[in-house]
Amino acid sequence: MSEVFFYFFSVLSIVFAAVAVTSQNIIRGGVALLGCFVSLGAVYFTVGAEFLGIVQVIVYGGAIIVLYLFALMTMDLASLKSEPFKAFLVAAGGLLSVVTAFLLLTGGMVLTKDFKPSISGAEDLALPMFFKFLLPFEVVSVLLLIATVGAVAIGRRES
Amino acid sequence: MTSNFLSLLFVVGLMLVAVPPITYLERKVLGHMQQRPGPMVVGFHGLLQPLADAIKLIFKEDIVPRGADRLLFMLAPSFSVFGALLAASVVPIGFIQAVPLKSGLLFVMAMSAISIYALVLAGYASNSKYSFLGGMRAAAQVLGFELPMGFAIMAMVLLYGTLDFNEMVKWQQEHGWGIFYQPVAFLLFLFMMVAEIGRPPFDLPEGESELVGGFHTEYSGMRFAAFYFGEYINIIVLSLIVSLLFLGGWSGPFAKEYPVLGVIYHLLKAGFFIFLTFWLRATFPRYRFDQMLSIMWKIMLPVSIVNVFVAALQVFLFRL
């Protein structure tokens, strides 16, 4: 039964993702992205990783999309449309997408056998994170701090 | 399985059936607090008023304003009801729990984060400046209250060492109610709960006096009613959760021997908090937008972070 839901939500998330990138109306695109994130969370649920699924919905579905929509609603969208077409940017984006698709496919090949995760609850996730992988975790947090400081610095310079 | 299905029916049914009487009670309580009788005309002391309102809302024309984003406009109210009902499905009422989820508390937070989109999208899609301002306020308010609320909940999770509602109540039956260990978290949660359901003094997204009706200005008929259902179900769910987190849920005298008594205790405790939201509405004026933001970010957030440290110390020192 849960496999039916697994495939249903997988297809749903792909459809929403496709709508998100192709939508002309940027707010509708944002809402489609929300749908994509929530159905991804549901996919985690169907394979038994309920904690990850919930965190996916809280962090991406809740906080990040609200921020996106908040920013998009206040922006002048008409001026964005008139921006000239740049072949270089499209080429770079295309190249990156091809690389990502390749990575995802090769990763998918390895994982085709079984999609039952060994980690499901908050405890199973927290123990390795704060004991076994404490150093990488702290390095990532420093990286995030640098990014925050950088964002504040750039924001202040422009005003 | 069947008992689970029955309890799902019970919980969803209870949520949907309880909303009209609660709107009636709210109007009566508000009325008497303001020294007027409240609804009196339809039925004995206005008892049939909710029914009359329902009939009116069902038969009202469903209007989509010109220039609105039709799809989002029609979709937005459903976020409100679905988010609230999904949150309700994991909350135990006494021994009745529809979906026993290990991370139930987090699931409720996720669903309340989803139901906020109802306000934001309704505000955007209506193509009206009042609605739009209401929607923007809703988005800013979410960003403001979610962090302090998360930290208040985190303090309780540290104390109980679990995200499961049943385990929390078990802990409180052994050690005493959570409010005695974490009074600050209780006050923070209460504050943020009022902000989350968008009730006075934090009903900025609606703001009748300056924004007409805020995000739901342009709605009519059942789509308008959907916002109300979402809001009131949210009130019920959050009241149940406050009593679970801080007042021992269904614990009380003889609750262990007779589980039905536990359901009644739990509903009574939740009922007090539902009454509290009416009380606040009758008492406090609305905060100004910048006041709300500075309360959230400058006072509540630091207090809640310090409180998490205090909770960690409590757990560390007393080996709770």
Side-chain angles (χ1 to χ4, degrees):
Chain A
M1 192 60 184
S2 76
E3 268 185 40
V4 176
F5 284 111
F6 174 78
Y7 287 112
F8 173 73
F9 283 116
S10 314
V11 171
L12 201 64
S13 63
I14 294 170
V15 169
F16 271 125
V19 174
V21 272
T22 51
S23 167
Q24 288 285 319
N25 183 327
I26 200 159
I27 301 288
R28 281 193 185 181
V31 176
L33 196 62
L34 166 70
C36 174
F37 286 156
V38 171
S39 30
L40 260 184
V43 169
Y44 293 149
F45 254 86
T46 56
V47 294
E50 63 171 51
F51 181 75
L52 262 190
I54 293 170
V55 170
Q56 163 86 13
V57 174
I58 290 182
V59 174
Y60 289 97
I64 290 188
I65 300 282
V66 163
L67 259 183
Y68 276 5
L69 288 181
F70 189 78
L72 287 174
M73 283 176 184
T74 45
M75 257 166 30
D76 184 13
L77 297 173
S79 72
L80 280 180
K81 269 189 185 151
S82 61
E83 213 151 89
F85 176 79
K86 285 178 185 149
F88 166 71
L89 288 179
V90 174
L95 185 69
L96 279 179
S97 327
V98 169
V99 171
T100 317
F102 176 73
L103 284 177
L104 281 177
L105 281 178
T106 49
M109 295 292 183
V110 185
L111 292 172
T112 41
K113 283 169 201 152
D114 190 12
F115 41 72
K116 284 272 171 277
S118 53
I119 293 173
S120 63
E123 219 164 287
D124 308 324
L125 206 66
L127 287 179
M129 197 189 243
F130 290 110
F131 290 97
K132 199 174 168 197
F133 301 111
L134 184 62
L135 185 68
F137 178 76
E138 291 298 334
V139 171
V140 169
S141 66
V142 171
L143 193 70
L144 286 177
L145 182 68
I146 293 170
T148 315
V149 172
V152 171
I154 291 173
R156 290 187 77 169
R157 192 172 55 201
E158 276 180 5
S159 70
Chain B
M1 269 316 269
T2 46
S3 70
N4 261 356
F5 184 68
L6 275 183
S7 36
L8 185 65
L9 275 185
F10 174 79
V11 171
V12 172
L14 178 76
M15 293 298 158
L16 291 176
V17 171
V19 170
I22 286 182
T23 58
Y24 169 75
L25 274 179
E26 168 164 36
R27 292 165 76 176
K28 271 293 182 196
V29 169
L30 275 181
H32 284 289
M33 280 181 178
Q34 293 160 354
Q35 309 203 336
R36 58 189 171 83
M40 286 296 274
V41 179
V42 194
F44 175 71
H45 278 256
L47 266 175
L48 295 176
Q49 187 66 44
L51 194 68
D53 285 341
I55 292 170
K56 185 194 81 175
L57 284 168
I58 290 169
F59 288 105
K60 216 169 174 182
E61 189 189 352
D62 182 28
I63 300 168
V64 180
R66 195 181 298 147
D69 189 329
R70 265 192 94 83
L71 179 70
L72 290 183
F73 185 84
M74 293 168 82
L75 211 63
S78 60
F79 275 90
S80 168
V81 185
F82 280 123
L85 279 179
L86 279 171
S89 68
V90 298
V91 179
I93 305 171
F95 63 94
I96 305 160
Q97 187 178 21
V99 186
L101 206 60
K102 260 197 315 195
S103 320
L105 185 56
L106 276 182
F107 186 81
V108 171
M109 285 193 73
M111 286 310 120
S112 68
I114 293 297
S115 53
I116 292 298
Y117 286 102
L119 318 192
V120 178
L121 291 179
Y124 165 76
S126 299
N127 194 30
S128 138
K129 54 188 165 212
Y130 299 118
S131 300
F132 184 71
L133 284 171
M136 298 299 290
R137 284 181 174 190
Q141 188 161 319
V142 176
L143 295 174
F145 75 69
E146 272 210 333
L147 279 175
M149 189 167 197
F151 279 119
I153 289 176
M154 199 193 284
M156 297 321 284
V157 171
L158 268 175
L159 194 64
Y160 300 142
T162 176
L163 291 165
D164 190 330
F165 289 121
N166 298 305
E167 300 286 319
M168 288 177 188
V169 174
K170 213 174 276 169
W171 192 97
Q172 292 180 80
Q173 278 168 342
E174 282 165 23
H175 297 85
W177 289 1
I179 185 173
F180 300 122
Y181 293 92
Q182 275 292 331
V184 181
F186 172 70
L187 289 178
L188 277 171
F189 191 92
L190 216 57
F191 221 82
M192 297 306 135
M193 166 188 147
V194 177
E196 166 151 11
I197 49 190
R199 304 281 294 177
F202 291 110
D203 60 340
L204 293 140
E206 291 176 31
E208 296 92 349
S209 53
E210 68 258 45
L211 293 184
V212 190
F215 61 92
H216 58 46
T217 307
E218 303 291 339
Y219 281 87
S220 72
M222 282 315 276
R223 283 185 212 285
F224 178 74
F227 282 117
Y228 260 68
F229 266 93
E231 184 176 324
Y232 282 88
I233 294 173
N234 249 336
I235 294 178
I236 303 172
V237 169
L238 281 168
S239 303
L240 285 170
I241 289 175
V242 184
S243 35
L244 272 173
L245 276 178
F246 298 99
L247 296 187
W250 53 87
S251 62
F254 304 114
K256 270 183 187 159
E257 289 80 16
Y258 308 98
V260 181
L261 263 182
V263 178
I264 295 169
Y265 288 145
H266 194 186
L267 287 177
L268 279 177
K269 287 170 189 172
F272 170 74
F273 288 104
I274 295 172
F275 174 74
L276 191 74
T277 61
F278 305 160
W279 194 355
L280 288 175
R281 179 169 174 184
T283 316
F284 285 105
R286 184 180 306 121
Y287 280 110
R288 225 170 47 221
F289 187 58
D290 59 310
Q291 287 173 328
M292 186 273 290
L293 282 179
S294 63
I295 289 172
M296 297 290 179
W297 287 102
K298 291 181 187 160
I299 303 172
M300 293 299 165
L301 184 59
V303 169
S304 63
I305 292 175
V306 170
N307 189 48
V308 172
F309 278 106
V310 172
L313 268 182
Q314 273 181 332
V315 175
F316 180 71
L317 292 178
F318 303 112
R319 303 259 170 240
L320 287 170

